[in-house]
Amino acid sequence: MTVATKRLALVTGGNQGIGLATVRRLLASGVQVLAVDLADDNLVDLPLHRLVVNLAAKDAPARIVDAITALGSGLDILVNNAGVGGSRRLADSDDLLIDRIVDINLRAVLRLTRDCLPLMKSGASIVNVASVFGEVGFPGSTAYAVTKAGISQFTRQLASEISEKGIRVNAVAPGLIRTPMTETRLERDTSYRDAMLGATPLRRVGLPEDVASVIGFLVGEDASFVNGQVIAVDGGWLTCRYLA
């Protein structure tokens, strides 16, 4: 298979965590990948295309579309993974914090997806990375939870709007996953760790590869009739929450 005939995937936040695991998963399945992030130090040894860009920047969607167009083919897979945490209770959230979280976690996703849609044809697939915190209330994560709830609804809304073109739209909602973004909180915040791990029936912290494997399924032919879904990848936390 030549590069020109490979499916092309765009993965945002591809330099670490779930994004990096997804990049590796797609490469292993023979997909050509364009990875976008604020840095690319973990990508330099991988056989892919990469672009360093701040997704919150006004020109970010145009730069990414130009990079895709330069590869000489349309876009077959879009994985909207990039996101930031650090959320707090609403009373403790200043404008700077709210703007940072909303700009990256929600606004950038809508802008980039909108501008990528003209490059996508029938058979293409979009997967958004939501969160279990967007499905239920969880104290101390207001802005983050609201943006992830928005991603879940965006998934359903977009599926209703573009599926007639043969483009599927789904989302994954990770639970407690060990990533660079969650590592510090897992080590320092015992109440958070206990509330998440102690309420996960499988009794373990998830790995980025656990989420990447579901993303790999959703963009593949085996999921050709899966559309408009938000799939929890959380060891059962969302539906079976309990403490030992």
Side-chain angles (χ1 to χ4, degrees), residues 72-196:
S73 63
L75 183 64
D76 301 288
I77 297 167
L78 170 59
V79 180
N80 285 308
N81 163 74
V84 294
S87 192
R88 301 185 180 95
R89 291 177 181 270
L90 183 60
D92 301 322
S93 302
D94 59 21
D95 287 353
L96 185 63
L97 175 67
I98 292 172
D99 288 347
R100 181 178 71 91
I101 293 174
V102 172
D103 282 351
I104 293 295
N105 291 6
L106 187 56
R107 186 170 179 268
V109 173
L110 281 107
R111 295 175 64 233
L112 178 60
T113 303
R114 177 198 63 197
D115 289 5
C116 283
L117 283 178
L119 304 176
M120 307 183 81
K121 298 179 181 179
S122 180
S125 179
I126 298 171
V127 177
N128 303 311
V129 178
S131 169
V132 293
F133 286 2
E135 307 301 310
V136 295
F138 192 90
S141 59
T142 303
Y144 178 84
V146 168
T147 60
K148 291 303 184 177
I151 291 298
S152 292
Q153 183 57 24
F154 171 60
T155 298
R156 292 182 283 263
Q157 183 66 31
L158 192 61
S160 74
E161 293 179 355
I162 68 172
S163 293
E164 64 182 16
K165 299 178 181 179
I167 303 173
R168 294 183 301 108
V169 189
N170 292 288
V172 292
L176 182 60
I177 307 296
R178 188 176 294 278
T179 70
M181 191 170 77
T182 64
E183 191 75 39
T184 300
R185 191 174 185 186
L186 277 172
E187 297 301 326
R188 295 182 180 178
D189 190 342
T190 57
S191 61
Y192 168 77
R193 185 175 67 242
D194 292 345
M196 295 300 296

Side-chain angles (χ1 to χ4, degrees), residues 16-82:
Q16 63 180 11
I18 293 170
L20 181 57
T22 300
V23 165
R24 288 172 171 157
R25 177 86 181 197
L26 294 173
L27 288 173
S29 66
V31 174
Q32 184 183 188
V33 174
L34 169 61
V36 174
D37 210 327
L38 285 171
D40 63 358
D41 52 300
N42 294 321
L43 300 169
V44 292
D45 294 327
L46 295 177
L48 48 62
H49 308 280
R50 58 188 189 273
L51 178 65
V52 175
V53 63
N54 181 353
L55 289 171
K58 184 176 181 179
D59 66 344
R63 289 182 59 193
I64 293 169
V65 166
D66 286 347
I68 295 170
T69 304
L71 295 176
S73 63
L75 183 64
D76 301 288
I77 297 167
L78 170 59
V79 180
N80 285 308
N81 163 74

Side-chain angles (χ1 to χ4, degrees), residues 228-244:
Q229 302 302 305
V230 180
I231 300 176
V233 188
D234 65 351
W237 183 87
L238 191 62
T239 54
C240 308
R241 281 172 290 160
Y242 63 88
L243 291 174

